[in-house]
Amino acid sequence: MVAGCAAALLAGTAGTASAVENLPPRQPLVQDLRTGGKACATGDDTVYVATPPRLDAVLYDPEEDNQPSEYSPVTAEFEAWWTDAQGVEQRRTHTTTAAGSGSPQYWTLPSEIPADTVVSWHVRADDGTATSAWSDEGDGSVCSFVYDDVNPEKAGVTSPEYPTPDDAFWVDGVGVYGHFTVDSPSDDVVAYAYGFLGGPNGTAAAERPGAAVTLPYLPLTSGPKALTVRAIDRAGRSSGETRYEFNVKAGRAPVARWKLDDPAGSRSAAAVAGDAARAGIGVTFGGPAPAGTEATAAVSLDGSGHGFLTPDVPAVDLRTSFAVSAWVRPAETGRTMTVASQDTAAGKPGFTLGLRSQDSGPVWSFAIGGARVTGGAPETGEWAHLLGLYDAETGTARLYVNGHRTGTAAQASPAETTGAFQIGRARGAAGYRDRWHGEVGDVRVHDRVVVPDEITELARRTPKLLGHWSVETATDGVSPEQSDGPPLRLAAGATIHRGSDGSCIPEIDPDCTYVPPALVGDGHLRLDGESGYAATAGPVVDTGDSFTVGVVVRLADSAPAHPMAVLSQAGEHTDAFTVRYEPSGHAWQLVMPVRDEAGAPETVVSQVVAADGGQGPGHRLAVVYDDGADTIRLYADGQAGTEATAVFANGWHSAGALQIGRATVGDGWGEYLHGDVDELQAYAGALRDKDVIGLGHGTDPCLC
């Protein structure tokens, strides 16, 4: 009885195994099929290809067949068909070599596939004992394609704003959008690949096959420009290149501008462009202007109801692109104040540019059409350049402070305005409000986009050279400044090394004494690392404002035993800044404490540089503090990477002398430098990258 049951069980097991082995492969899924790399599609979504395509499929045997110890090969049976020019159906088939379940299988169609004809295909799997259903059976779908063997025709290009030189040689201009319509005669073009000289580049899709595309373009610079275009059809075929050339003028001048440099006692502000602006009795002309700018004077507004200027007419249509800018210096920051605005009939301003009071602190603000962009940190008594920009093409409002974009651009919908332009106040339901208290200078209104390079230039404050010490000579321990400014006084342990004049060549005259050349020029400062240093009699740079200090330095040791300072300027309790070599990190560091207090938190940036060991030309270091951008940078040989740049919000004024070769350590001096120093240059203001490169070469860089 037991033997009979066992036999029956074995027979049943064998029957089950046989049934599993005979299961047919799975029906291929449409999502596993590709035509020329594109997803299977048919009807209105039929695929277009530029060459006879490769058909791809992934086929599977049932999971029960795929035991780890077994190999379940399947072959693919492809079939393609179409109707030829005579109306006769044509079919082609292909069977692949067997491959494992789940492996991709493919068939590259022969070149006889006709062009401009809908070709359909399907596929099924065969495991040698059974076949699956075709991929288009049941819930499946046929795959279709059209082979296109003709490139589209070249695109034509037209632009109402920027015609070719044949129609208008120079066209206005930087900051004015152009619109370039590209259109190919071919009715199957679906996109255009384009590139403007200098950018941008991209691909623009047509709304439908054969439709033209219009490309917006904002010129950022003047000069000859070009647009190249290629039409792309549904198959991905490309036309020849069309090149459209045009010439862009420099950006047009402001439509309204008041320098606000009228003589003291004036009762109106003359206009460089637009209408003169009458002034309230709370306006005082002849005030100070921001140093390093082309402004020579500014107006002071007392914050009262009489502290305003207005031309009594609008300056610009707020529904078009425009920019408004000014130099400003607030006398207070505890309340909201308006630098510029333009009235509307609704009892509110169409836009405001100014200072906004918030619980978290004051910020600069530009508001227009339901959008507000804020950023920066206004400081009482500190000059800033503000520019509010509305780009009608993109519908965005942006704010720039001291030439730098700040805050987050916002979508705006300006209302029509026919009211007057205002300086120093904003319209409210009950009259004017948010009156400015402080100085305002050089107000400009542009009726276009002011581009980034222009914004940078508007906000630029040209640095002023404070001193250049070449340290080539010293008389009685005093090394002169090049323009008879305050000299450097050398302490014991500091000497001037004079380089060879080149007349001694030991290979020719073994008896002559060779003297190594100076780092730059004819001589440099040599410090003994124990007591040697040089210093001015008092502070050189105002560390509470933007400044730049550059120096050339070469360490005498290849492995310094302790930190060594090449530059510092002391406050009452600590140095306002120190540039030192930190041997543990093999790096030059710029160290700036956040306040004049022993042990105050420090902001440190660094540049990894191997110690010189007394060899080579040394390194050109430069410290740049940009008070307007709230950043510090340490340059080494003209470069400043991310590790050498940091945010530093509030510099503080220091009254100590500029030190070369030592720094404050505890209650005294330390970190004496052992090495050579040359070409000390100091500026009021922040030098640009291209200016810093010119430091340390024996001459002063052109700040143009």
Side-chain angles (χ1 to χ4, degrees), residues 616-692:
H619 295 282
R620 292 176 293 114
L621 305 181
V623 177
V624 177
Y625 170 48
D626 189 335
D627 188 34
D630 290 335
T631 58
I632 56 172
R633 285 188 175 89
L634 174 63
Y635 291 81
D637 299 318
Q639 304 298 316
T642 55
E643 294 297 318
T645 304
V647 173
F648 193 79
N650 296 301
W652 46 274
H653 302 283
S654 57
L658 181 64
Q659 305 285 331
I660 296 89
R662 68 176 184 174
T664 299
V665 177
D667 294 330
W669 297 101
E671 298 187 352
Y672 286 89
L673 184 120
H674 185 205
D676 303 318
V677 179
D678 208 345
E679 287 300 303
L680 177 64
Q681 293 163 280
Y683 291 83
L687 265 64
R688 300 166 296 185
D689 290 349
K690 68 177 184 178
D691 302 326
V692 170

Side-chain angles (χ1 to χ4, degrees), residues 543-545 547 567-580 589-605 623 625 627 631-632 646-654 663-666 671:
T543 52
D545 203 347
F547 71 88
L567 294 172
S568 67
Q569 184 166 300
E572 183 178 355
H573 303 289
T574 189
D575 291 331
F577 78 92
T578 303
V579 179
R580 69 182 181 195
Q589 294 180 335
L590 166 60
V591 182
M592 293 189 68
V594 299
R595 53 184 175 272
D596 189 6
E597 178 182 295
E602 298 173 333
T603 299
V604 181
V605 295
V623 177
Y625 170 48
D627 188 34
T631 58
I632 56 172
V647 173
F648 193 79
N650 296 301
W652 46 274
H653 302 283
S654 57
T664 299
V665 177
E671 298 187 352

Side-chain angles (χ1 to χ4, degrees), residues 405-475:
R405 184 171 167 177
T406 186
T408 302
Q411 290 295 124
S413 300
E416 180 178 2
T417 172
T418 57
F421 186 83
Q422 305 288 338
I423 299 173
R425 64 183 183 178
R427 185 78 174 268
Y432 289 99
R433 54 181 172 77
D434 300 337
R435 296 174 174 85
W436 181 261
H437 184 200
E439 280 74 43
V440 179
D442 199 5
V443 177
R444 308 187 194 203
V445 182
H446 288 82
D447 63 344
R448 61 177 177 87
V449 174
V450 178
V451 301
D453 284 351
E454 293 176 316
I455 294 172
T456 299
E457 193 60 30
L458 285 174
R460 185 175 178 230
R461 301 179 69 175
T462 303
K464 177 184 177 182
L465 180 66
L466 300 175
H468 183 170
W469 296 268
S470 293
V471 287
E472 295 189 344
T473 61
T475 301

Side-chain angles (χ1 to χ4, degrees), residues 232-321:
I232 310 297
D233 68 15
R234 291 173 294 190
R237 301 187 77 95
S238 172
S239 72
E241 183 178 272
T242 300
R243 183 179 177 86
Y244 182 90
E245 297 181 343
F246 56 102
N247 296 322
V248 177
K249 287 182 181 179
R252 60 179 178 251
V255 292
R257 181 184 179 190
W258 300 272
K259 288 187 176 181
L260 304 180
D261 58 357
D262 307 83
S266 298
R267 294 278 32 100
S268 67
V272 177
D275 296 281
R278 64 181 176 89
I281 60 174
V283 177
T284 302
F285 287 86
T293 71
E294 63 179 71
T296 58
V299 294
S300 296
L301 279 63
D302 65 4
S304 73
H306 301 290
F308 69 91
L309 299 99
T310 179
D312 293 312
V313 294
V316 70
D317 183 352
L318 304 188
R319 295 169 299 173
T320 64
S321 294

Side-chain angles (χ1 to χ4, degrees), residues 142-163:
V142 70
C143 302
S144 300
F145 69 88
V146 174
Y147 164 40
D148 182 354
D149 64 348
V150 177
N151 291 337
E153 295 185 52
K154 287 185 176 182
V157 181
T158 59
S159 172
E161 298 90 356
Y162 292 101

Side-chain angles (χ1 to χ4, degrees), residues 178-565:
H179 300 86
F180 297 79
T181 299
V182 294
D183 191 9
S184 168
S186 300
D187 61 6
D188 61 345
V189 169
V190 296
Y192 292 90
Y194 68 91
F196 288 93
L197 182 66
N201 307 299
T203 300
E207 288 187 2
R208 63 185 183 281
V213 168
T214 298
L215 306 171
Y217 170 67
L218 180 67
L220 302 181
T221 58
S222 60
K225 306 293 181 184
L227 165 64
T228 56
V229 179
R230 290 181 181 271
I232 310 297
D233 68 15
R234 291 173 294 190
R237 301 187 77 95
S238 172
S239 72
E241 183 178 272
T242 300
R243 183 179 177 86
Y244 182 90
E245 297 181 343
F246 56 102
N247 296 322
V248 177
K249 287 182 181 179
R252 60 179 178 251
V255 292
R257 181 184 179 190
W258 300 272
K259 288 187 176 181
L260 304 180
D261 58 357
D262 307 83
S266 298
R267 294 278 32 100
S268 67
V272 177
D275 296 281
R278 64 181 176 89
I281 60 174
V283 177
T284 302
F285 287 86
T293 71
E294 63 179 71
T296 58
V299 294
S300 296
L301 279 63
D302 65 4
S304 73
H306 301 290
F308 69 91
L309 299 99
T310 179
D312 293 312
V313 294
V316 70
D317 183 352
L318 304 188
R319 295 169 299 173
T320 64
S321 294
F322 77 93
V324 57
S325 62
W327 282 101
V328 301
R329 183 168 69 169
E332 57 179 302
T333 58
R335 64 181 179 88
T336 295
M337 301 191 297
T338 301
V339 173
S341 69
Q342 189 160 294
D343 298 344
T344 69
K348 58 183 180 180
F351 81 87
T352 59
L353 177 69
L355 183 154
R356 182 174 176 81
S357 178
Q358 299 182 156
D359 292 341
S360 57
V363 291
W364 298 114
S365 170
F366 177 55
I368 180 172
R372 183 181 297 278
V373 186
T374 60
E379 295 181 39
T380 300
E382 182 174 297
W383 283 104
H385 186 268
L386 305 184
L387 185 143
L389 172 65
Y390 172 65
D391 185 335
E393 185 78 21
T394 61
T396 54
R398 296 193 288 272
L399 172 65
Y400 295 80
V401 178
N402 294 318
H404 301 275
R405 184 171 167 177
T406 186
T408 302
Q411 290 295 124
S413 300
E416 180 178 2
T417 172
T418 57
F421 186 83
Q422 305 288 338
I423 299 173
R425 64 183 183 178
R427 185 78 174 268
Y432 289 99
R433 54 181 172 77
D434 300 337
R435 296 174 174 85
W436 181 261
H437 184 200
E439 280 74 43
V440 179
D442 199 5
V443 177
R444 308 187 194 203
V445 182
H446 288 82
D447 63 344
R448 61 177 177 87
V449 174
V450 178
V451 301
D453 284 351
E454 293 176 316
I455 294 172
T456 299
E457 193 60 30
L458 285 174
R460 185 175 178 230
R461 301 179 69 175
T462 303
K464 177 184 177 182
L465 180 66
L466 300 175
H468 183 170
W469 296 268
S470 293
V471 287
E472 295 189 344
T473 61
T475 301
D476 297 329
V478 176
S479 185
E481 194 274 330
Q482 283 190 357
S483 301
D484 297 326
L488 288 175
R489 298 188 178 277
L490 279 59
T495 58
I496 299 296
H497 167 80
R498 295 286 294 177
S500 170
D501 60 6
S503 61
C504 175
I505 304 176
E507 291 81 358
I508 298 176
D509 182 4
D511 295 329
C512 71
T513 301
Y514 174 73
V515 178
L519 289 175
V520 181
D522 296 329
H524 63 236
L525 179 67
R526 177 158 288 172
L527 303 175
D528 65 1
E530 297 179 0
S531 61
Y533 71 94
T536 56
V540 172
V541 295
D542 179 358
T543 52
D545 203 347
S546 299
F547 71 88
T548 302
V549 182
V551 71
V552 180
V553 59
R554 179 174 63 194
L555 297 175
D557 306 307
S558 58
H562 57 80
M564 297 181 178

